[in-house]
């Protein structure tokens, strides 16, 4: 299914400058649901033996990746609440972290209840795209602030030219990272050399 995702990126992805790719026809606006379900299953298989108890993501685009991964792993997923903390959370213990969204061109505080992510949890952080790694690294920090152990970071797409794995490794050295499709360089138009499937054999073998 990674190959199908790769083909859709090649066919429908549009470079819009500043390191951004428009994928609105199948990925982050209109969604190819069957493909996303299959991609989630493939991504989850890398972490089958990691004893994941919770999947953590950030809205909105992260939801489309986190849901099928969580279903395949048979665990709950938790999404952060951003902006103003919900009034219904008044008096509840929570953790918070600042996340900067490049596509939205703003920063916002993301919250998670400590009742949702606990010290007993083994958390898999999931996002739609791993680019600079800022969101993934912040989610790692958020899970740790809630007392959980982070066992991996996963994303459907990666833009390795932005070195997101470095930011994730800085947040949690040695953490397992897996993605399905990588854009190692950004050209206009994208060619077959610019969009490649990722071999997760080594990642899957890590404890």
């Amino acid at each position: 299914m990674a190959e199908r995702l790769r083909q859709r990126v090649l066919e429908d992805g549009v470079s819009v400058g500043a390191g951004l790719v428009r994928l609105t026809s199948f990925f982050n606006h209109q969604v190819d649901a069957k493909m996303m379900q299959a991609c989630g299953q493939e991504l989850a298989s890398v972490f089958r033996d990691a004893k994941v108890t919770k999947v953590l993501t950030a809205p909105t685009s992260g939801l489309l990746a986190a849901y099928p991964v969580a279903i395949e792993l048979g665990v709950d997923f938790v999404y952060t609440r951003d902006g103003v903390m919900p009034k219904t959370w008044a008096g509840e213990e929570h953790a918070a972290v600042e996340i900067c969204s490049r596509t939205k061109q703003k920063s916002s505080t993301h919250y998670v209840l400590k009742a949702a992510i606990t010290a007993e949890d083994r958390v898999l952080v999931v996002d739609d795209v791993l680019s600079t790694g800022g969101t993934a690294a912040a989610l790692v920090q958020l899970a740790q602030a809630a007392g959980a152990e982070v066992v991996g970071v996963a994303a459907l797409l990666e833009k390795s030219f932005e070195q997101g794995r470095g930011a994730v490794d800085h947040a949690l050295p040695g953490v397992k990272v897996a993605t399905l499709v990588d854009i190692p360089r950004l050209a206009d138009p994208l060619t077959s050399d610019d969009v490649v499937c990722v071999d997760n054999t080594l990642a899957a073998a890590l404890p």
Side-chain angles (χ1 to χ4, degrees):
M1 189 46 64
E3 178 58 30
R4 176 58 181 152
L5 177 58
R6 173 179 176 273
Q7 287 299 323
R8 289 302 303 268
V9 173
L10 280 171
E11 293 167 6
D12 301 322
V14 179
S15 174
V16 294
L20 300 175
V21 183
R22 185 168 63 237
L23 305 169
T24 52
S25 64
F26 68 96
F27 192 76
N28 54 16
H29 184 51
Q30 177 177 320
V31 177
D32 184 331
K34 289 184 179 180
M35 184 180 70
M36 290 304 162
Q37 181 180 16
C39 285
Q41 292 170 346
E42 187 170 338
L43 203 52
S45 68
V46 181
F47 299 91
R48 187 79 62 195
D49 299 325
K51 299 179 180 178
V52 175
T53 63
K54 294 278 174 63
V55 167
L56 176 64
T57 193
T60 302
S61 297
L63 299 175
L64 68 90
Y67 181 74
V69 170
I71 288 288
E72 186 66 17
L73 292 175
V75 300
D76 288 349
F77 83 91
V78 178
Y79 64 91
T80 64
R81 300 294 295 270
D82 62 321
V84 179
M85 190 170 63
K87 291 182 179 180
T88 53
W89 288 17
E92 295 288 332
E93 276 197 276
H94 64 275
V97 71
E98 194 80 6
I99 296 179
C100 179
S101 170
R102 189 170 55 173
T103 54
K104 296 179 181 178
Q105 297 185 329
K106 67 175 184 179
S107 295
S108 59
T109 304
H110 286 243
Y111 304 90
V112 67
L113 288 178
K114 290 188 176 181
I117 298 290
T118 73
E120 286 72 41
D121 281 318
R122 293 172 59 84
V123 171
L124 174 61
V125 169
V126 176
D127 204 1
D128 60 336
V129 180
L130 177 64
S131 52
T132 64
T135 296
L139 290 174
V140 167
Q141 294 168 354
L142 186 61
Q144 292 175 322
E149 177 183 0
V150 177
V151 298
V153 172
L156 299 174
L157 287 175
E158 179 176 1
K159 294 187 289 183
S160 59
F161 66 90
E162 296 194 298
Q163 302 180 340
R165 290 184 185 238
V168 172
D169 193 67
H170 180 74
L172 184 58
V175 68
K176 181 190 295 191
V177 179
T179 60
L180 295 183
V181 173
D182 180 31
I183 302 175
R185 63 183 184 185
L186 195 56
D188 185 17
L190 291 168
T191 71
S192 58
D193 291 331
D194 305 320
V195 186
V196 298
C197 292
V198 177
D199 184 353
N200 287 302
T201 305
L202 291 178
L206 292 174

